[in-house]
Amino acid sequence: MENWKNSARAFWASMLPPTFWLVAFFIIPLSIIWLYSFSSKTGIIETTLDWNLTHYARALEPVYLGIFWKSIWMAAATTAICLVVAFPVAIAIVFAKPTMRMWLLLLVILPFWTNLLIRTYALIAVLRTNGFINNGLDWLVTHADWLLSFVGLGNNMLIGPYQPMALLYNNTAVIFGLVYVHLPFMVLPLYAALDRLDRTYLEASLDLGAGHFRTFFLIVVPLALPGIASGVIITFIPAMGSYLTPDLLGGTDSYMIANVIASQFKQANNWPFGAALSFLLMYATFFALALRAVLMRKEGRGDRR
């Protein structure tokens, strides 16, 4: 530390590049979009900065509030499903052998090595009318007689021709895609929290007569709350602002707020209104992060007492 304090040149040499990058490619572009949200559209692409709140007021109209609430509940459903699925996965990784743990973690982060667009099109190949799921179910129905006779049921069950299910272009497909994309964001913080878990607590709970379910809900879950909170935040926020997944997997009634924002910038050429919508989403994100920080601070103060 003393070397850093005494060497100002080394300090600035290490700080200036990331600071420049942050200011030039993050703060300045966001500031420009923030100014757009208080501007008025005077032409096809022309705007005038007059510091009005018209676009924020328009964003609070029922039609846009409905899209906001729909984005919230779809992100909440995605987060809840990810939490339920990720918890046993994280526990399995933590209690796996050290040699297996590395490979299991690799499988979790492996999707990050593939472009999101490619992964989404792979989901389309799975969910479409003639995709893998419908073709697999069609094969099962087609060969039902042989399968029933194989298990000893004979031909007592009559199964009609298979009708492909509509698995694409609806809200269910969007949530399925969001879970597929954001599941690693829930697994990794849960793994980090459970990996620090003192296993003597589990042994003590089981020795004192608590079953596995009581030990899980009364010991494991409370001790993993920091990981749960981090996983919920970093899953909910990207899911709420997701654009590509609902655009490719959803139908006309599956639009989320990010799709509306993109349409305002691309199709409608209404940058001020799109900027207002995007910053309302950002304000909600900041509120969620501030709320988490307050709750974590209160929890820390309670521990010190």
Side-chain angles (χ1 to χ4, degrees), residues 142-162:
T142 304
H143 297 81
D145 293 339
W146 179 84
L147 292 173
L148 290 175
S149 61
F150 179 79
V151 298
L153 295 178
N155 297 326
N156 297 327
M157 299 177 62
L158 297 177
I159 301 178
Y162 175 74

Side-chain angles (χ1 to χ4, degrees), residues 54-66 68 273 277 280:
T54 305
H55 300 292
Y56 285 98
R58 182 186 172 190
L60 298 178
E61 293 178 359
V63 59
Y64 298 108
L65 283 179
F68 263 110
F273 183 51
L277 288 173
L280 281 177

Side-chain angles (χ1 to χ4, degrees), residues 30 32-39 52-60 64 68 257 260-261 264-265 270-284:
L30 278 181
I32 295 173
I33 297 298
W34 182 74
L35 292 176
Y36 266 112
S37 68
F38 297 100
S39 303
N52 70 82
L53 298 175
T54 305
H55 300 292
Y56 285 98
R58 182 186 172 190
L60 298 178
Y64 298 108
F68 263 110
I257 190 61
V260 179
I261 294 172
Q264 294 299 319
F265 279 98
N270 193 346
W271 284 41
F273 183 51
L277 288 173
S278 62
F279 265 88
L280 281 177
L281 182 62
M282 190 170 296
Y283 298 149

Side-chain angles (χ1 to χ4, degrees), residues 10-43:
F11 173 78
W12 287 111
S14 62
M15 286 298 296
L16 281 178
T19 302
F20 171 78
W21 182 273
L22 181 65
V23 172
F25 298 102
F26 183 75
I27 295 178
I28 292 178
L30 278 181
S31 300
I32 295 173
I33 297 298
W34 182 74
L35 292 176
Y36 266 112
S37 68
F38 297 100
S39 303
S40 295
K41 187 177 179 182
T42 57

Side-chain angles (χ1 to χ4, degrees), residues 41 43-45 263-272:
K41 187 177 179 182
I44 298 179
I45 59 175
S263 66
Q264 294 299 319
F265 279 98
K266 294 168 62 177
Q267 283 84 21
N269 281 326
N270 193 346
W271 284 41

Side-chain angles (χ1 to χ4, degrees), residues 62-192:
V63 59
Y64 298 108
L65 283 179
I67 297 176
F68 263 110
W69 284 114
K70 186 172 187 178
S71 302
I72 290 173
W73 80 255
M74 291 183 75
T78 299
T79 305
I81 296 173
C82 285
L83 180 60
V84 172
V85 175
F87 223 115
V89 174
I91 291 176
I93 296 175
V94 168
F95 287 93
K97 296 180 180 179
T99 54
M100 284 296 299
R101 189 181 306 174
M102 180 187 66
W103 292 105
L104 293 174
L105 285 173
L106 180 64
L107 290 177
V108 172
I109 66 175
L110 192 61
F112 293 131
W113 297 3
T114 307
N115 186 273
L116 176 60
L117 183 63
I118 297 176
R119 285 186 282 154
T120 305
Y121 275 112
L123 276 183
I124 293 177
V126 172
L127 298 175
R128 62 188 178 186
T129 303
N130 59 342
F132 293 109
I133 293 180
N134 277 312
N135 285 342
L137 294 175
D138 185 26
W139 184 90
L140 288 175
V141 172
T142 304
H143 297 81
D145 293 339
W146 179 84
L147 292 173
L148 290 175
S149 61
F150 179 79
V151 298
L153 295 178
N155 297 326
N156 297 327
M157 299 177 62
L158 297 177
I159 301 178
Y162 175 74
Q163 298 295 329
M165 295 184 293
L167 301 176
L168 264 181
Y169 310 123
N170 50 50
N171 293 335
T172 303
V174 173
I175 294 177
F176 183 84
L178 291 175
V179 170
Y180 169 71
V181 170
H182 295 95
L183 185 60
F185 294 107
M186 184 68 77
V187 173
L188 295 177
L190 285 176
Y191 165 77

